[in-house]
Amino acid sequence: MQPSDLPSIRTVSSPTVHPDGRDVVFVVTRPDVEENRYRSSLWRLDLTTPDAEPVRLTYGTRDSSPLYSPDGRRLLFLRAGEDGPAQLHVMAADGGDARRLTDHRLGASGPAWSPDGRRVVHAARVPEQGRYGTDDDVKPDQEAPRLIEHSRYLADGLGYTLDRPSKLFLLDLGALPHGDDPDADALPESRQLTRGGGDDGSPAFLDGGERVAFVAARSARGAWRPDTLVSDVCSVDLDGKHFRRHTDGTGSVGVLHVLPDGQGVYGVGDLGRSRQDFVARSARLCRLADDRPLTDPTTDHPACAPALLADGTVVAAVEHRGDTVVRVVPDGEVLLDGHVTVTDVAAGGDVVVVAAGTRTSYSELFVGRRGERLVQRTDLGRHLTGTAAPIEPEELETAAPDGYPVHGWLVRPRSEAAAAEGHPVVLLIHGGPFTQYTGNLFDEAQVLAGAGYAVVMGNPRGGSGYGEAHGRAVKEAIGTVDVADLTALLDHALTLPGLDGTRVGVQGGSYGGLMTTWVVGHTDRFTAAISERAVNAWDSFAGTSDIGWFFADEYAGDHQHEQAPLTWADRITTPTLVIHSERDLRCPLEQGQRLFARLRRNGVPTKLLIFPGEGHELSRAGQPRHRVQRFEHILDWWAEHLG
């Protein structure tokens, strides 16, 4: 793959299955480098015909989040204009013109149907008066000062949050005027259900549609709990009154899914006695009715939200050694496994639909009925031809010095015409750290291999997909077993033919950037390094990052000075490219600037690459043009130092 091949990537997401299982509507997204934006539209796949091809359903360029009505006759979705935020729209399930339903200044999100299909609940951020364009006479730089009283006031990719909390709104679609009515084009009233501070999200109807459930940080009496990681399943009636909290106020609820008949499931993460110890805590899926656990958090890390079949059966996707297993829980029936990376699971009737990446495609749909194995039904990988054609990896297995097993992959350049001494090597390190690399198609590895570099990548201790103990091994122990695992994996790869152990680079982003800075501060074995959107200094991270108020304490504890890469930066002699984004609120720009300044002072060959207008997700969801330019700069750096 070359940087110019980015537009060949197609991804599918947000499948919604017709209630009788006859078809699935989903989103196809592609990056448009020329227009510097992402184009997304809705597509439909007929599930009753085995060889059916997907057909395009909408021709908007920013359509997303489709959702079938309980009777399958209508389709909700979000549509954004060229510059405006996404608003709710509804259309007949068989296509046709869409009707706009909302006009929230900051857009709508997270819709859910009532069981009878008459009402829709959704979330929308409510801006404080005088901010975010609510007063035409007040420009952004003329807004009143913000008086900050709580730790949770920022969110990467969004900015300030306390002055635009997410609240729930109710739409009555039964009151929509008919097409020949003089007011047929008028928007229905969006009646606000929840108020106060903090975010309310993931709405769903309960009790036959008489109550609305949601996820929020609330006390048992409904008061907002600001400085906490704890969140709960809560509910109010259709007048926004008679608040209830359905969970016990000790964990972190991350997902809520409810069927029209009221059966539901939620995911909750244990936060320990401190109510803040989130490190490598996988959410356990539970039934809403009785809190009965469906998964084991010590072994099962959900890859995405679960789905419910019509009979209430829960289908979950859990990570496993760089791949994903889709199974019925808790009975364990496996519907999909092997080399897949699942991003979405949906169900309708007794049909399950999964969106997942594979060895040869960034994203495909897999379909099957309860009791059947899911089979691939799309072929978006056909767009990947020429230089974009996938390079499949070799699996690596080795052990750290303490005998702990280490797992990863080697992606070799396609060309065999390497220099006699072999291909130069790049060690990639993932972020998180509680996440996982996969051997499935990954643009970072494909671009490097396409440029002639052998890519070594794996999942050291600290990551997900190998159990809770694996993930918690780096708690207050950064730079120990994680480095041992990475070193063992690299050393093992370098014993294989065709690799040049004298030209080895190291590259990582976020926690991977931290590890990159750390390892070049503790060894000079690497020819060059790229440290991207890194945590380099825990002291300033704690006061500037949107998660710094708890993240540093839990991962580094009382060892923040010793476990900060910047503490050891004066030992660095390795040429290092520092990459950062101006609007990164997760690992703020100063983290990169401090490292760059230290290396410059010490005479280390270094450059600082800063992307305007981007946040922490640049490499995955940044402006397409910036993503291409980022790849070009990375390849220029490796060409300069690795040849």
Side-chain angles (χ1 to χ4, degrees), residues 151-152 217-219 225-232 245 247-253 268-279 281 284 472 475 547 549-551 553-554:
S151 298
R152 302 186 71 168
R218 302 282 194 99
S219 71
R225 304 170 69 182
D227 295 323
T228 181
L229 297 181
V230 174
S231 55
D232 288 279
R245 196 177 73 181
T247 45
D248 65 7
T250 63
S252 177
V253 174
V268 59
D270 181 16
L271 294 173
R273 292 183 179 180
S274 68
R275 300 291 183 262
Q276 186 172 287
D277 181 8
F278 72 98
V279 174
R281 303 286 199 181
R284 71 181 184 278
R472 288 180 68 80
K475 182 174 170 64
I547 61 172
W549 60 279
F550 66 89
F551 195 96
D553 288 341
E554 295 304 322

Side-chain angles (χ1 to χ4, degrees), residues 47-247:
L47 301 182
T48 65
T49 306
D51 57 352
E53 289 287 328
V55 294
R56 190 166 180 174
L57 186 61
T58 67
Y59 285 83
T61 58
R62 296 173 64 194
D63 293 347
S64 63
S65 305
L67 188 65
Y68 265 118
S69 62
D71 62 7
R73 298 174 61 185
R74 289 181 291 180
L75 195 68
L76 272 177
F77 66 100
L78 293 173
R79 169 171 286 175
E82 293 302 312
D83 299 309
Q87 304 291 349
L88 272 180
H89 288 67
V90 67
M91 63 187 296
D94 56 358
D97 291 338
R99 175 172 186 154
R100 182 171 171 171
L101 299 176
T102 61
D103 190 26
H104 296 290
R105 180 172 292 276
L106 302 181
S109 64
W113 288 97
S114 64
D116 61 7
R118 286 180 53 89
R119 299 182 180 90
V120 171
V121 64
H122 64 280
R125 291 198 171 273
V126 180
E128 182 181 295
Q129 184 59 34
R131 302 191 191 278
Y132 307 107
T134 55
D135 187 333
D136 292 338
D137 295 328
V138 179
K139 298 178 181 178
D141 60 356
Q142 298 172 338
E143 292 179 359
R146 291 177 172 87
L147 181 62
I148 307 299
E149 300 179 83
H150 304 292
S151 298
R152 302 186 71 168
Y153 64 94
L154 290 174
D156 184 68
L158 182 63
Y160 292 103
T161 56
L162 297 184
D163 50 18
R164 46 176 165 175
S166 174
K167 297 299 159 189
L168 305 187
F169 292 79
L170 190 67
L171 291 168
D172 186 352
L173 301 191
L176 287 177
H178 295 289
D180 57 354
D181 191 289
D183 297 323
D185 294 331
L187 294 177
E189 177 190 5
S190 286
R191 183 162 55 84
Q192 188 169 343
L193 288 183
T194 61
R195 301 180 185 277
D199 286 347
D200 304 329
S202 300
F205 283 91
L206 287 180
D207 296 350
E210 296 304 311
R211 295 184 67 80
V212 171
F214 56 97
V215 175
R218 302 282 194 99
S219 71
R221 295 189 176 184
W224 172 44
R225 304 170 69 182
D227 295 323
T228 181
L229 297 181
V230 174
S231 55
D232 288 279
V233 178
C234 307
S235 71
V236 293
D237 64 21
L238 299 187
D239 291 322
K241 300 177 180 179
H242 301 104
F243 173 88
R244 297 179 195 166
R245 196 177 73 181
H246 298 261
T247 45

Side-chain angles (χ1 to χ4, degrees), residues 312-606:
T313 299
V314 180
V315 179
V318 297
E319 295 180 354
H320 179 67
R321 288 174 52 83
D323 290 310
T324 313
V325 176
V326 178
R327 68 174 192 258
V328 174
V329 293
D331 68 2
E333 176 192 347
V334 174
L335 304 180
L336 181 66
D337 58 5
H339 296 317
V340 291
T341 305
V342 174
T343 56
D344 292 280
V345 181
D350 64 348
V351 172
V352 177
V353 176
V354 165
T358 69
R359 287 287 200 262
T360 58
S361 179
Y362 291 99
S363 194
E364 301 289 354
L365 284 184
F366 293 78
V367 179
R369 295 185 180 277
R370 172 71 195 274
E372 301 175 348
R373 300 281 293 189
L374 307 187
V375 296
Q376 185 175 327
R377 287 292 308 272
T378 56
D379 186 20
L380 275 71
R382 67 179 179 271
H383 297 285
L384 305 175
T385 60
T387 56
I391 301 174
E392 294 202 30
E394 303 170 28
E395 198 154 358
L396 302 177
E397 299 272 3
T398 189
D402 63 359
Y404 193 86
V406 185
H407 178 221
W409 299 269
L410 170 64
V411 185
R412 293 179 182 269
R414 195 184 312 277
S415 173
E416 296 299 328
E421 63 272 20
H423 295 289
V425 178
V426 175
L427 172 66
L428 280 185
I429 308 176
H430 69 60
F434 197 53
T435 185
Q436 65 170 5
Y437 268 153
T438 173
N440 297 320
L441 205 54
F442 178 38
D443 60 347
E444 298 277 338
Q446 295 292 314
V447 166
L448 289 172
Y453 304 100
V455 180
V456 177
M457 49 192 282
N459 294 322
R461 275 170 277 189
S464 61
Y466 300 77
E468 183 181 277
H470 182 90
R472 288 180 68 80
V474 298
K475 182 174 170 64
E476 300 187 41
I478 291 168
T480 59
V481 293
D482 43 6
V483 172
D485 291 356
L486 289 167
T487 302
L489 188 68
L490 177 61
D491 288 343
H492 171 64
L494 292 176
T495 66
L496 303 177
L499 275 61
D500 181 4
T502 68
R503 292 183 295 162
V504 181
V506 58
Q507 174 183 335
S510 195
Y511 184 83
L514 178 155
M515 292 307 300
T516 297
T517 311
W518 178 276
V519 297
V520 296
H522 289 78
T523 179
D524 60 1
R525 72 175 294 179
F526 294 100
T527 309
I530 298 178
S531 178
E532 184 173 12
R533 62 185 187 279
V535 179
N536 289 312
W538 291 115
D539 56 353
S540 56
F541 178 87
T544 57
S545 167
D546 64 339
I547 61 172
W549 60 279
F550 66 89
F551 195 96
D553 288 341
E554 295 304 322
Y555 260 109
D558 295 330
H559 310 289
Q560 293 184 24
H561 179 72
E562 308 95 274
Q563 293 184 1
L566 202 66
T567 299
W568 312 99
D570 288 339
R571 297 182 178 184
I572 297 175
T573 59
T574 305
T576 302
L577 172 64
V578 181
I579 302 178
H580 233 97
S581 296
E582 277 188 351
R583 296 183 183 176
D584 190 337
L585 300 181
R586 183 59 42 85
C587 298
L589 176 59
E590 58 89 21
Q591 292 284 314
Q593 291 172 317
R594 292 182 69 183
L595 175 62
F596 174 70
R598 183 73 65 86
L599 297 182
R600 289 278 297 172
R601 187 192 71 180
N602 293 342
V604 178
T606 184

Side-chain angles (χ1 to χ4, degrees), residues 255-257 265-267 285 294 302 304-308 314-317 329 345-347:
V255 62
L256 171 65
H257 191 83
V265 62
Y266 66 95
L285 299 181
L294 303 172
C304 59
L308 280 78
V314 180
V315 179
V329 293
V345 181

